[in-house]
Amino acid sequence: MVYHSEIVKSAAHLIEEMGGLDDVLAKSRKRCNVEARSIIIAYIRNRYKISLKKLGVDMKRHHATILNSERIHLLRMSKVKNKDKYVYPEYVHLH
């Protein structure tokens, strides 16, 4: 059995290597770290269906922060209605 904290740590390590970032799970409000955390949260929530509370404990964040981060990620990945353009194209190219 893989524990949630192991999933979080491995996802964070992968994002850090890909993006050349330092500790993305640290309490940093730098934009690159915030966006990296939102990518991690969205991936884990979608792939593993971990609850907000459990993911919040593993990432040392409040469950409402996890929910907001996931919501913001989905907004940034969405396309403008009736157009083939992303709302935030610079964010989409991070993936």
Side-chain angles (χ1 to χ4, degrees):
M1 178 177 180
V2 177
Y3 293 100
H4 302 138
S5 58
E6 291 175 15
I7 294 169
V8 169
K9 287 178 186 176
S10 64
H13 181 69
L14 179 65
I15 292 289
E16 289 167 0
E17 283 185 357
M18 290 175 60
L21 301 171
D22 290 331
D23 188 12
V24 296
L25 297 179
K27 290 204 175 232
S28 169
R29 292 180 9 184
K30 291 182 180 178
R31 184 179 183 106
C32 58
N33 287 350
V34 171
E35 289 176 350
R37 281 193 299 266
S38 70
I39 293 168
I40 293 168
I41 289 166
Y43 171 74
I44 291 174
R45 290 268 301 150
N46 186 42
R47 171 74 168 83
Y48 297 100
K49 309 297 185 212
I50 297 174
S51 72
L52 294 171
K53 185 175 182 176
K54 288 179 183 176
L55 188 54
V57 168
D58 289 340
M59 294 190 74
K60 297 181 178 94
R61 303 282 189 285
H62 192 269
H63 73 276
T65 303
I66 301 297
L67 179 63
N68 187 57
S69 182
E70 183 179 27
R71 184 184 62 81
I72 294 295
H73 173 77
L74 294 174
L75 171 69
R76 289 179 177 157
M77 293 298 292
S78 64
K79 290 189 175 185
V80 178
K81 188 175 181 179
N82 298 328
K83 295 186 179 177
D84 196 29
K85 296 180 180 178
Y86 288 101
V87 176
Y88 295 96
E90 67 279 359
Y91 182 82
V92 174
H93 294 295
L94 291 173
H95 298 93

